Amino acid sequence: MARTPAKGGKTEMLNIRLDPKTRFILEYMSRLRGQTITTVVERAIIAAASGTPIVRESEYERQEITWQDLWDVSEGVRALEISEVPELYPTYEEERRVAFVRTHWPFFFTGENKRRYLNHYVDVLWPRIDEFIQIHEDMKHQDYYAAGHAMADALKNAKLQPPKWPLDQQPAATGKSGGNFSRDLDDDIPF
């Protein structure tokens, strides 16, 4: 797909070959619904994708994942979400990015459980993700934290406060507010 600047938020162009019969059907649907050909195609794709969930069954539950579960306005978040679904056959490069993001989680997630992304961080870092991975690969034997420092600099350049990095050089959580990490709640039980 080629990117083309356009009005109204449409930024992708797709060229496809159709036989005369399929082209006629597309024009027929467009006229019948009073929609553009593009709208007919977009809505057909959405309907087809919505009706095609990924089903995961276990002994205890059935889970269905659809495109809506993976969609995010952030390109980086979308790429990471897709890369973590084995049924979508992630490539080696996608798996490598996910592993890097999970290792450097304070730059990408709200917490150590890695459930919610920090979209504003991801939006700044994602365009350079392969560069940061390469820094990590090249420097990990001399400075394991080099990629984290490079990402912190990128966030600072974007006027964002980077997370505390490296994690193992942070002071232990004291329970005072303002820290990025919470302490174990069992510490509060007076037994």
Side-chain angles (χ1 to χ4, degrees):
M1 290 201 282
R3 289 189 182 264
T4 58
K7 294 180 182 178
K10 307 248 182 191
T11 59
E12 302 290 333
M13 182 183 292
L14 173 65
N15 293 316
I16 58 172
R17 293 180 180 265
L18 301 173
D19 63 43
K21 181 178 177 182
T22 305
R23 172 69 187 197
F24 173 80
I25 294 168
L26 189 54
E27 289 174 357
Y28 167 81
M29 292 300 297
S30 172
R31 288 173 175 249
L32 180 65
R33 293 185 176 170
Q35 301 170 338
T36 65
I37 289 175
T38 299
T39 301
V40 170
V41 171
E42 287 173 343
R43 291 187 180 171
I45 291 168
I46 291 169
S50 297
T52 312
I54 296 169
V55 178
R56 292 181 178 166
E57 294 195 40
S58 70
E59 186 177 333
Y60 305 103
E61 68 177 324
R62 175 185 167 97
Q63 178 188 18
E64 289 188 357
I65 300 169
T66 67
W67 69 270
Q68 291 107 329
D69 298 312
L70 307 175
W71 168 254
D72 194 281
V73 295
S74 170
E75 179 183 354
V77 172
R78 286 194 309 268
L80 290 165
E81 289 284 3
I82 286 174
S83 297
E84 294 205 69
V85 179
E87 293 88 348
L88 297 177
Y89 304 100
T91 65
Y92 167 75
E93 287 302 317
E94 290 171 328
E95 290 174 343
R96 186 176 177 220
R97 289 180 191 122
V98 168
F100 176 83
V101 165
R102 290 189 157 282
T103 299
H104 294 81
W105 67 265
F107 292 95
F108 298 94
F109 293 97
T110 59
E112 197 169 359
N113 64 9
K114 302 172 186 95
R115 289 189 185 149
R116 291 188 55 223
Y117 288 98
L118 291 164
N119 284 41
H120 55 295
Y121 280 13
V122 174
D123 290 342
V124 170
L125 300 174
W126 190 255
R128 296 177 54 196
I129 193 69
D130 292 326
E131 175 188 338
F132 297 129
I133 292 170
Q134 193 61 53
I135 290 169
H136 180 68
E137 290 298 315
D138 292 345
M139 298 296 296
K140 67 183 173 186
H141 298 294
Q142 299 166 12
D143 179 4
Y144 191 83
Y145 302 111
H149 294 303
M151 289 188 293
D153 289 343
L155 293 172
K156 287 177 192 172
N157 289 338
K159 307 293 187 245
L160 292 172
Q161 179 66 40
K164 302 239 185 275
W165 184 258
L167 291 176
D168 62 354
Q169 293 180 8
Q170 293 183 67
T174 61
K176 295 180 182 172
S177 62
N180 285 343
F181 309 99
S182 62
R183 59 195 164 93
D184 189 350
L185 295 177
D186 288 341
D187 291 348
D188 288 341
I189 300 172
F191 290 76

